[in-house]
Amino acid sequence: DGCLKRATFEIALRGKSDNTALVGTNKGVIEQISVTGSVEGSGYVAAIAAVNSSSATIKDCVNSAEIIGVMNVGGVVGFNAGTVAGCVNEGDVNATALPAADATSMLNVGGIAGYCTGNILGSKNLAAVGSRQGRYIGGIAGLAGGGLFSDVNEGAVSGERYVGGIVGYYGRFSNDGESGGIGDYLGGGRFEEWLDKYFGSDNGGFEESEDNGVHEIYYCVNLGDVLSDGYAGGIAAHAGAAMLAMEGCVSSGSISSRGSHAGGIVGEL
């Protein structure tokens, strides 16, 4: 529940375990922090914080470090359940191709947050996100279920499936067997094992994987090109969550899907 404010760090973090970042879990306030260097890990990988808890805030931070990871990978935060405001990412996120074994498991990669169930406000991504690998890839967030307000993406975004200028997939994971869903992608029991590991009691009681009840994407702007093998959108590749409100969003980048479902604003509703 402490504070980390007004500092600059040059870091070189590399690990095969989860929670690789300047701060592992933030339960307080991180403000006006700048990071350069490089960060490489497995799950929950970012420059500022691996996890931002529901009561925590990351504000006015800048990342210029290159970020490489497999699941829940972001320029600023790996998993955000709280508030991220006024942050800027200038470091490439998974812009270099990963080995095939890692690419098969790559999920939730974003310029600001890999996975967001909280809010991201007034934040900007200026760097490349993705390298034609993985699913749920976004200029701001890879997978989101909270609020996205006045965020801007200027970087190129690319991935295998569900790639968006602002968010790759807006909604929640399910294992309902629908084609293209997370359960279909990872497959039955393997999906359940993965979900327990990353969002269940085995990883710190992540009840926070429930979103915060704010289902809004307001006044977000995408200026970057979006490329996917299937499902691509200027704002969101998929935005089918119940009660989602989207207003005042603009995209001017090139949107391309080698398969189906490409939209200037949304690929699939």
Side-chain angles (χ1 to χ4, degrees), residues 17-125:
S17 60
D18 298 334
N19 295 350
T20 306
L22 179 67
V23 175
T25 299
N26 176 40
K27 295 185 177 181
V29 176
I30 300 176
E31 185 175 355
Q32 295 182 24
I33 298 298
S34 296
V35 174
T36 62
S38 63
V39 181
E40 182 174 354
S42 181
Y44 298 92
V45 183
I48 305 297
V51 174
N52 193 46
S53 298
S54 58
S55 60
T57 298
I58 300 174
K59 182 179 179 181
D60 298 333
C61 293
V62 178
N63 171 54
S64 299
E66 179 183 11
I67 310 297
I68 299 174
V70 180
M71 293 184 182
N72 299 331
V73 183
V76 173
V77 58
F79 171 69
N80 173 50
T83 299
V84 175
C87 292
V88 178
N89 177 60
E90 301 175 344
D92 289 347
V93 181
N94 277 9
T96 301
L98 271 64
D102 290 335
T104 300
S105 301
M106 187 191 300
L107 298 168
N108 307 346
V109 179
I112 299 296
Y115 179 24
C116 175
T117 61
N119 295 323
I120 302 176
L121 307 89
S123 295
K124 181 181 290 188
N125 174 60

Side-chain angles (χ1 to χ4, degrees), residues 207-243:
E207 71 280 356
E208 291 172 323
S209 60
E210 296 283 349
D211 66 55
N212 63 0
V214 179
H215 301 146
E216 298 172 345
I217 304 177
Y218 283 179
Y219 302 103
C220 291
V221 177
N222 173 56
L223 304 176
D225 294 341
V226 177
L227 176 62
S228 174
D229 289 339
Y231 297 88
I235 298 299
H238 173 91
M243 305 301 293

Side-chain angles (χ1 to χ4, degrees), residues 109-198:
V109 179
I112 299 296
Y115 179 24
C116 175
T117 61
N119 295 323
I120 302 176
L121 307 89
S123 295
K124 181 181 290 188
N125 174 60
L126 304 177
V129 179
S131 61
R132 298 291 307 282
Q133 295 176 320
R135 299 188 178 194
Y136 311 101
I137 316 293
I140 298 298
L143 174 71
L148 303 172
F149 305 102
S150 301
D151 299 311
V152 178
N153 173 60
E154 297 185 13
V157 187
S158 64
E160 177 189 349
R161 201 170 179 88
Y162 294 110
V163 182
I166 298 298
V167 56
Y169 191 103
Y170 190 96
R172 295 194 61 208
F173 284 142
S174 68
N175 195 25
D176 56 14
E178 291 185 4
S179 178
I182 184 74
D184 176 61
Y185 178 55
L186 288 179
R190 185 179 169 203
F191 164 72
E192 297 295 347
E193 180 182 349
W194 180 86
L195 196 64
D196 286 343
K197 178 180 179 182
Y198 284 95

